[in-house]
Amino acid sequence: MGARRKARELVLQMLYQHDISGNAPDMIVDTFDDLQKSKPNTRDFATKIFRGTVDNLSEIDGMIQAQADNWRLSRMAVVDRNIIRMSIYEFLHEAGTPKLVVIDEAIEIAKKFGTEKSSQFINGILDGILKRYNLAS
C-alpha cells in the first residue's frame, strides 16, 4: 500500500473518531497511535488532510447536502460521509492530486471500510460534486 493510501485510511479513522466522539482534532492527532507510528511523510499528509477537512467542514457539508438531494448528512453512513468529506477537501485544496485519483482512492477505501453499496454511493456523490462545482478541470 502506498503512503498516500495509508494516509487517507488514517484520515478516515480520525474523521470517524471526530464525527462520533466530538473530540478535539489536536487530541485525536496526538493520541492516535497508528498515526504516530507512521512514516513522517504519511503522518504529515494525513494530519494535513484531517485538519483541513475539519477546518472546512461547514463548507464541505454544504456541498454534500446540495449534491445529495434525498439524503441528509445524518442519514449517511459515518464511513461514507467521512470518505466524501476528505475527498472534497482534496478536490478543493490539493491541486497536485488529479481529481480522478481522489475518486479512485475514495472508492478503494470505501470497499475496505464501507458497506457493499458504499463505493457506488460515494462515486456518485463525488462525480456529481465535480460537475456541479466545475472542479473536473
Side-chain angles (χ1 to χ4, degrees):
M1 172 185 326
R4 290 259 169 136
R5 167 77 56 82
K6 177 64 178 165
R8 289 180 180 101
E9 290 183 0
L10 293 170
V11 171
L12 173 60
Q13 293 171 57
M14 290 187 290
L15 287 172
Y16 186 96
Q17 182 181 349
H18 182 264
D19 204 358
I20 296 297
S21 71
N23 289 341
D26 287 342
M27 190 200 101
I28 293 169
V29 168
D30 292 345
T31 60
F32 187 33
D33 230 21
D34 289 350
L35 178 70
Q36 299 308 322
K37 292 177 183 174
S38 297
K39 293 179 182 174
N41 60 332
T42 301
R43 186 173 50 247
D44 292 346
F45 185 72
T47 301
K48 177 182 177 185
I49 300 300
F50 170 64
R51 289 185 189 279
T53 302
V54 170
D55 289 347
N56 292 278
L57 212 49
S58 57
E59 174 191 9
I60 290 168
D61 283 355
M63 292 171 76
I64 296 170
Q65 202 58 65
Q67 183 60 37
D69 296 326
N70 299 318
W71 284 88
R72 288 188 318 274
L73 279 168
S74 61
R75 284 190 53 222
M76 290 180 192
V78 178
V79 167
D80 296 357
R81 177 173 59 231
N82 285 297
I83 291 172
I84 293 167
R85 284 171 168 167
M86 67 189 215
S87 298
I88 292 172
Y89 175 80
E90 277 199 73
F91 286 167
L92 298 173
H93 301 282
E94 290 295 315
T97 307
K99 308 296 191 264
L100 294 180
V101 170
V102 173
I103 291 177
D104 287 344
E105 288 286 293
I107 290 168
E108 291 306 313
I109 292 169
K111 287 177 183 176
K112 183 173 179 178
F113 291 95
T115 66
E116 199 174 288
K117 296 181 180 182
S118 291
S119 58
Q120 278 185 309
F121 176 70
I122 289 167
N123 185 42
I125 296 290
L126 293 177
D127 187 55
I129 293 278
L130 285 181
K131 291 173 182 160
R132 177 183 292 258
Y133 295 97
N134 294 317
L135 299 173
S137 50

